[in-house]
Amino acid sequence: MEDKKDIRSLEFCELEDVFSKLGEPKYRAKQVFSELCRGKDINEITTLSKPLRAKLCDMFKCELPTVETRLVSKIDGTRKYLFRFSDGQSAESVFMKYNHGNTVCVSTQAGCRQGCAFCASTKRGLVRNLEPCEILSQIIGIEKDTGERVSGIVLMGTGEPLDNYENVIKFLHIVTHKDGLCIGARHISLSTCGCVDRIYDLAKEDLQITLSISLHAIDNETRSKIMPINKKWNVETLLTATKDYFAATGRRISFEYTLISGVNDSKEDAKAIVDKFSQIFARSMPLHINLIPVNPIEETQFVPGSKTRIFEFQSILEKGGITATVRRTLGPDINASCGQLRNRAQDQDT
């Protein structure tokens, strides 16, 4: 027997169709959609009659993952979660507090197939994509646990969002809908390692999200060594796609650049970024590079450079007309970057 679809994976228009086919008024969709996005089970939506709730339970499942692990930073209140789904797979999420509101970093896949050398999330490969409801449920679970509203989302956890394109787009439609979580698209960032074909698809979606490009090296030889996707779409092809994305959407592009000592963090590397950007991007195009000192993981020998070296790198970019910031480290005492918590849980399962 085919497994039932989870009702939380339905977009608002799909839920309207469900009630229409059941002979129910369309306003039912608004009632149910709002309650589901806030974590209620079908049987907890008491504005519906018991017979109608029973019908929906026959048609759909309605599941939330369990919190397997919760780590809370004593330094800044950052929380790291490992959520366990009904099939035994898990995903990591991070709750971060800022002056402007609370942001959650969500995972979009169980594992990852991209093979980036510095990333713990990809070391066990890809198991499966997460459904829209499973990405949504990470936010629901965190809001329930913290008792606080989430106002921003970054799709930068485990997995490559554009490798799970259809499910991620549905998730974005759900969380931005006025009757859902109503999180503004401008408060959502999606990070990709460089799936160029999907960047062009995303440009057509009319979503005012921020696209973040995981760059991490500016020359093709280095980038191909640490990011295998560069062998399919090289630096020039990727940067051209980002330029075209900006032309289509008007949204500023952000670049993520993990600084690895002795690999990509020299003065020459910084100057090469300035040169390459000036070749491809117009001076009027707003660009931002977020510099990230590499997070050491067990599987590699990568380490960050000194603070002096990092700020020299930043200075060269800024003198070249590129806005550059060094990422603030959140939850240092709980190792808040993604991947290692899930890997340790898998080791315990085997």
Side-chain angles (χ1 to χ4, degrees), residues 11-262:
E11 293 184 41
F12 184 79
C13 59
E14 294 175 312
L15 203 54
E16 282 188 319
D17 289 341
V18 168
F19 284 109
S20 178
K21 290 174 182 176
L22 291 173
E24 295 286 336
K26 282 192 172 182
Y27 71 79
R28 292 291 189 204
K30 181 176 180 178
Q31 292 177 321
V32 173
F33 190 72
S34 178
E35 299 282 29
L36 291 173
C37 284
R38 283 157 180 77
K40 282 195 175 182
D41 185 81
I42 292 172
N43 282 315
E44 294 176 320
I45 306 175
T46 55
T47 51
L48 303 181
S49 67
K50 285 185 178 181
L52 182 53
R53 280 180 269 161
K55 283 183 184 179
L56 292 175
C57 288
D58 285 340
M59 296 169 66
F60 302 100
K61 62 183 179 181
C62 185
E63 298 178 341
L64 288 175
T66 58
V67 176
E68 176 140 319
T69 305
R70 178 201 302 103
L71 304 176
V72 183
S73 171
K74 295 179 181 178
I75 297 172
D76 54 30
T78 297
R79 296 187 177 211
K80 186 175 183 179
Y81 293 86
L82 183 68
F83 289 104
R84 181 80 69 168
F85 301 109
S86 59
D87 69 346
Q89 290 304 316
S90 58
E92 290 178 57
S93 313
V94 181
F95 172 79
M96 299 165 284
K97 297 178 73 70
Y98 295 97
N99 292 333
H100 59 267
N102 300 320
T103 294
V104 168
C105 178
V106 297
S107 294
T108 55
Q109 295 179 304
C112 182
R113 72 171 111 211
Q114 300 306 322
C116 298
F118 50 84
C119 181
S121 299
T122 194
K123 297 306 177 184
R124 310 295 175 89
L126 176 67
V127 179
R128 67 171 176 85
N129 289 328
L130 297 186
E131 297 294 323
C133 60
E134 292 174 320
I135 308 173
L136 173 66
S137 67
Q138 296 168 57
I139 300 171
I140 291 172
I142 287 173
E143 287 194 332
K144 280 177 170 286
D145 186 67
T146 62
E148 298 190 42
R149 172 169 163 71
V150 170
S151 57
I153 302 170
V154 289
L155 288 83
M156 296 182 185
T158 300
E160 162 57 56
L162 296 187
D163 192 31
N164 186 18
Y165 188 83
E166 288 79 12
N167 286 338
V168 164
I169 294 301
K170 289 194 74 173
F171 161 75
L172 292 172
H173 289 164
I174 292 168
V175 295
T176 57
H177 195 280
K178 62 182 179 64
D179 295 313
L181 291 184
C182 196
I183 295 175
R186 291 174 180 266
H187 299 289
I188 299 174
S189 294
L190 183 152
S191 177
T192 177
C193 66
C195 299
V196 166
D197 55 345
R198 289 306 197 181
I199 290 174
Y200 283 103
D201 290 338
L202 187 64
K204 301 172 187 175
E205 296 286 350
D206 194 28
L207 292 165
Q208 289 294 297
I209 63 174
T210 296
L211 179 64
S212 184
I213 304 295
S214 295
L215 186 59
H216 308 308
I218 199 63
D219 68 281
N220 284 308
E221 182 180 357
T222 302
R223 194 168 192 269
S224 293
K225 285 179 180 177
I226 62 175
M227 301 183 73
I229 197 169
N230 197 72
K231 297 171 185 176
K232 184 173 184 179
W233 290 296
N234 66 19
V235 169
E236 291 74 21
T237 302
L238 174 59
L239 296 185
T240 299
T242 64
K243 178 181 70 173
D244 293 341
Y245 183 90
F246 173 76
T249 66
R251 296 289 291 152
R252 185 186 73 166
I253 306 295
S254 177
F255 293 88
E256 306 287 327
Y257 195 98
T258 296
L259 290 163
I260 307 170
S261 181

Side-chain angles (χ1 to χ4, degrees), residues 295-333:
N295 181 50
I297 61 174
E298 296 170 359
E299 294 87 350
T300 76
Q301 299 301 311
F302 293 152
V303 295
S306 66
K307 287 185 177 180
T308 298
R309 192 174 177 92
I310 291 169
F311 288 118
E312 283 178 346
F313 198 98
Q314 179 188 23
S315 178
I316 292 170
L317 295 180
E318 291 184 332
K319 287 176 181 177
I322 301 169
T323 301
T325 54
V326 178
R327 178 179 285 181
R328 171 188 167 203
T329 300
L330 292 174
D333 54 329

Side-chain angles (χ1 to χ4, degrees), residues 250-302:
R251 296 289 291 152
R252 185 186 73 166
I253 306 295
S254 177
F255 293 88
E256 306 287 327
Y257 195 98
T258 296
L259 290 163
I260 307 170
S261 181
V263 176
N264 64 354
D265 69 337
S266 69
K267 293 179 182 179
E268 290 70 29
D269 290 318
K271 292 173 183 176
I273 293 173
V274 173
D275 291 342
K276 183 68 71 175
F277 276 27
S278 65
Q279 292 170 22
I280 293 179
F281 302 124
R283 283 190 172 273
S284 59
M285 182 173 168
L287 300 169
H288 173 256
I289 295 184
N290 193 12
L291 301 174
I292 310 163
V294 70
N295 181 50
I297 61 174
E298 296 170 359
E299 294 87 350
T300 76
Q301 299 301 311
F302 293 152

